[in-house]
Amino acid sequence: MLIARLIAEPDHLSTKLEAAKAQMARAGVRIADAAMLDFCGRTMQIDSPDDDAAAMRAAIDAHFSPSDGLITTDEPVVPRVFISDMDSTMIGQECIDELGDFAGLKDRIAAITERAMQGELDFAEALRERVGLLDGLSTGAIDECLTSRIKPMPGAKVLVETLKQLGCRTILVTGGFHHFADPVGEMLGFDHVVGNRLEVAGGKLTGGLAGDIVDSAVKKATLLAEITAAEERWGEGITSLATGDGANDIPMLEAATYGIAYRAKPKARNAANGWIDRGDLTDVLRLLGVNEKDWVR
């Protein structure tokens, strides 16, 4: 069985549904029901007794794009574990690119960042190369960057605080740096933060990293460890949610019950069973079926 939750332009939901259903039928995906959710008027639910999620998603993309959606095999529920990427997911910036601007190297660093996010470069090598370019930059630039440039994504705090209120543990895990992730995590309300550490000496960056690198494998391992801990408390079969936007997030998006790609690069979007292309992060709550009266604002 498949359940698709879908948020799109209202006129698209009413005028394009039949065409989408016809495309699904040609691909062998039967539709048992398609209706707006009573408790979330912006969200349509489409039920199918079949299991071809790729065909269902292809029809949704063809007829409703841009949209926000989630395709699962069971009725979505509030997760017990939420893990999220930071840069370009919970905040609207790539921190290392902004630091690069202070060093006069933003274009050069941003080009490497983009290729790494697209999955064209090895993440660890790309990270070391970019951090190396920051050698000699004052740590004061980090403080100024945090204050003047780093802003949360719309809906980020509502998403985190609402999930926490509903009993979900929240973890911010980033291939970026604790210098940014710790204050961002505190600002948004995350329970725990995992990230890389910039090496500092004499008030300046050395161009190196302190400790092991947080890469895609660490992100996935962090999720799995949190799931195990939650199962020890709540029992087996707990649900999990992951959000991210780049190739480095793919393993955790695939491992989560609900992997939602936020304004993501193509490889990450294709790997996830959920996507946000249209709205803000509060649409994650709508896709999960959390009534707006229960949101923490």
Side-chain angles (χ1 to χ4, degrees):
M1 180 176 180
L2 290 175
I3 295 174
R5 294 266 176 91
L6 175 64
I7 304 169
E9 293 295 332
D11 63 331
H12 289 183
L13 289 173
S14 60
T15 63
K16 299 188 176 183
L17 178 60
E18 291 306 315
K21 289 167 67 174
Q23 180 174 331
M24 293 180 202
R26 290 193 297 272
V29 178
R30 296 165 294 169
I31 301 302
D33 189 34
M36 304 302 293
L37 296 179
D38 292 338
F39 54 85
C40 189
R42 300 186 190 182
T43 309
M44 174 180 284
Q45 180 163 311
I46 304 171
D47 299 332
S48 169
D50 300 309
D51 62 358
D52 193 342
M56 177 179 275
R57 183 163 176 177
I60 289 172
D61 282 344
H63 297 281
F64 297 108
S65 185
S67 69
D68 304 332
L70 175 66
I71 299 177
T72 69
T73 56
D74 297 289
E75 192 88 9
V77 298
V78 175
R80 288 291 187 184
V81 172
F82 170 47
I83 186 168
S84 182
D85 175 49
M86 180 177 73
D87 293 13
S88 297
T89 302
M90 286 290 124
I91 61 174
Q93 299 74 38
E94 292 288 329
C95 291
I96 194 166
D97 295 356
E98 299 305 322
L99 274 185
D101 200 18
F102 285 89
L105 296 167
K106 183 173 183 177
D107 289 347
R108 184 175 172 185
I109 289 176
I112 301 171
T113 300
E114 178 66 16
R115 292 186 65 196
M117 290 176 64
Q118 293 282 6
E120 298 173 2
L121 297 175
D122 176 76
F123 176 81
E125 291 181 7
L127 181 63
R128 290 191 182 96
E129 180 179 355
R130 287 173 290 167
V131 171
L133 293 172
L134 299 177
D135 184 15
L137 186 67
S138 169
T139 55
I142 297 175
D143 298 330
E144 184 177 348
C145 187
L146 264 169
T147 301
S148 63
R149 301 195 182 189
I150 304 307
K151 307 297 180 185
M153 282 290 191
K157 187 172 179 63
V158 174
L159 172 61
V160 175
E161 293 288 6
T162 299
L163 290 176
K164 284 178 62 179
Q165 179 69 25
L166 295 173
C168 179
R169 177 165 164 80
T170 58
I171 305 97
L172 184 67
V173 57
T174 176
F177 314 113
H178 273 283
H179 284 87
F180 293 95
D182 289 344
V184 167
E186 182 177 0
M187 172 179 61
L188 296 180
F190 279 92
D191 294 311
H192 182 56
V193 175
V194 178
N196 292 302
R197 295 191 181 277
L198 292 164
E199 189 177 69
V200 176
K204 295 182 178 181
L205 303 184
T206 68
L209 292 163
D212 296 333
I213 288 179
V214 175
D215 58 9
S216 62
V218 173
K219 289 187 173 189
K220 178 181 177 180
T222 300
L223 170 62
L224 296 179
E226 291 288 347
I227 290 172
T228 298
E231 288 181 335
E232 290 176 355
R233 179 178 181 184
W234 302 105
E236 293 186 1
I238 66 108
T239 56
S240 58
L241 166 68
T243 56
D245 70 302
N248 195 42
D249 301 314
I250 289 174
M252 74 174 184
L253 291 172
E254 292 177 330
T257 311
Y258 314 127
I260 298 184
Y262 180 78
R263 306 290 175 108
K265 303 303 180 185
K267 288 183 179 179
R269 188 182 188 278
N270 292 338
N273 63 345
W275 62 94
I276 302 292
D277 294 340
R278 177 179 175 273
D280 65 29
L281 284 165
T282 59
D283 273 0
V284 175
L285 296 173
R286 292 188 176 94
L287 294 172
L288 294 174
V290 180
N291 196 305
E292 284 193 43
K293 68 179 180 62
D294 297 321
W295 294 6
V296 178
R297 298 184 184 275

